[in-house]
Amino acid sequence: MAVVGALVALTKPRIIELLLVTTVPTMLLAQRGLPSLKLVLVTLIGGTLAAGSANTINCYLDRDIDALMKRTSRRPLVNKQGIIKPAAALIWGITLGAAATLLLGLLANWLAASLADAAILFYVFVYTLLLKRRSSANIVIGGAAGCFPVLVGWAAVKGTIAVPAIVLFAVIFLWTPPHFWALAMKFKDDYARANVPMLPVVASPVQVTRKIVGYSYAMVAATLALAPYAGWLYTAVAAGLGAWFLLEAHRLNAQVTRMNAAPAIPTPAICVSVAGVSVAGVSVAGVSVAGAPAGGDEAPPRAFPMRLFHLSIAYLTLLFAAVAVCALLPVGHW
């Protein structure tokens, strides 16, 4: 069972869940209703296998830097834990990719299979091998790999790629940087320790949050570009969700800006002599010492990037839920 658990962990199931959230609504929009249950299951299973393949190969290639970061230090290939050997993990990843190709090709269509393969290759060669350790644009460009599920879902239904699928691709492409940079702000030291040039490592916090705000506006604009295809009800929901996201992005930027503008507060060690004995870092007779704010002084402002990170997941889930519901409802269209 330990081996099975390790093999599943290599596929990063939590990431796969988010990818699949975007697939089914896209299929509903393409069909303008419910596709066959068989096609939905084939596409979901094929997409799961393809994403699992890419993630497993990523774990194989990044096992050296995963060992340096606390967030990834418990992955199965880290620190020679012995449950799964690296060669076995690589074979597992390739096998998953081959299974995804055959399943989608034979039971959906070969365009869907080819797009799934393109996602695997892009994630492995463009993001993991080419960009991740070399460029702060790694997640901007490499994040395109996570956009392919909407193309796969649309192609599975229609056998072609159309404008609505490209718009949804753009939505996820523009959503990825704010989502991931918020996470990277939290784990900046991890990435710095592994010498991975994520934007929060190489740029100031203010620069990062300004870029988050900029990408957020572009993302919301992309969601509204789907309006002619998804209807007025979707448009209203997308506008409301977009306003919510922009509010939170601006809030994070404001927090970071205040932190940047706040003067540094010196915190010298304070010694208090009591009966001839020097006592450092204690509170005596109501006197605050050891650098603690005294007399009710306000603590320095703090930024909370993980708030935006978690909100971004909820945002994308609700947005695609709106796509799905509006595709099924007999009302809400232009």
Side-chain angles (χ1 to χ4, degrees):
M1 290 303 293
V3 172
V4 173
L7 290 174
V8 172
L10 286 171
T11 67
K12 304 179 186 178
R14 294 180 66 183
I15 295 177
I16 293 176
E17 290 174 10
L18 191 59
L19 296 177
L20 297 182
V21 161
T22 65
T23 303
V24 174
T26 303
M27 297 180 73
L28 297 178
L29 181 63
Q31 185 70 39
R32 292 289 182 180
L34 286 171
S36 71
L37 179 60
K38 175 186 174 183
L39 182 60
V40 172
L41 290 176
V42 165
T43 306
L44 288 179
I45 295 171
T48 299
L49 293 174
S53 170
N55 290 334
T56 299
I57 297 172
N58 170 266
C59 285
Y60 168 79
L61 294 171
D62 278 353
R63 62 191 186 278
D64 58 332
I65 59 175
D66 282 348
L68 301 174
M69 299 192 292
K70 292 180 181 179
R71 188 173 69 89
T72 56
S73 61
R74 300 179 68 180
R75 288 180 177 170
L77 296 181
V78 172
N79 297 327
K80 299 181 180 179
Q81 295 178 32
I83 299 175
I84 298 291
K85 301 297 182 183
L90 180 60
I91 293 171
W92 170 240
I94 295 172
T95 301
L96 290 173
T101 304
L102 291 174
L103 181 66
L104 289 170
L106 295 174
L107 298 181
N109 57 63
W110 289 104
L111 176 59
S114 299
L115 289 166
D117 288 342
I120 296 171
L121 295 174
F122 195 92
Y123 189 69
V124 171
F125 289 99
V126 177
Y127 173 67
T128 304
L129 291 176
L130 180 62
L131 294 174
K132 184 173 182 178
R133 307 188 193 203
R134 292 180 174 87
S135 172
S136 61
N138 45 22
I139 200 62
V140 177
I141 301 170
C147 310
F148 276 84
V150 296
L151 301 183
V152 173
W154 189 280
V157 174
K158 291 293 192 181
T160 60
I161 296 298
V163 172
I166 296 172
V167 172
L168 290 172
F169 183 101
V171 169
I172 303 171
F173 182 81
L174 295 166
W175 168 87
T176 301
H179 166 74
F180 199 87
W181 285 337
L183 177 70
M185 287 178 72
K186 169 72 173 179
F187 295 101
K188 171 184 173 180
D189 293 340
D190 256 7
Y191 287 111
R193 190 180 304 113
N195 201 29
V196 176
M198 291 296 175
L199 186 65
V201 175
V202 301
S204 71
V206 172
Q207 290 175 314
V208 175
T209 55
R210 285 176 181 169
K211 283 184 175 289
I212 286 175
V213 170
Y215 272 92
S216 297
Y217 273 101
M219 175 196 70
V220 172
T223 66
L224 298 178
L226 192 66
Y229 310 97
W232 64 263
L233 182 57
Y234 159 83
T235 304
V237 174
L241 290 172
W244 178 41
F245 196 100
L246 290 173
L247 177 65
E248 292 297 333
H250 276 287
R251 176 179 294 177
L252 177 61
N253 183 54
Q255 290 173 342
V256 170
T257 301
R258 285 197 301 270
M259 288 177 61
N260 189 62
I265 301 175
T267 56
I270 300 174
C271 294
V272 179
S273 179
V274 181
V277 179
S278 292
V279 182
V282 298
S283 178
V284 180
V287 180
S288 298
V289 297
D297 289 348
E298 291 185 3
R302 294 175 57 196
F304 298 96
M306 292 303 288
R307 175 187 172 103
L308 182 65
F309 171 77
H310 292 299
L311 179 146
S312 68
I313 296 174
Y315 167 84
L316 194 71
T317 302
L318 292 172
L319 182 75
F320 275 83
V323 171
V325 171
C326 293
L328 295 174
L329 287 177
V331 297
H333 306 291
W334 301 110

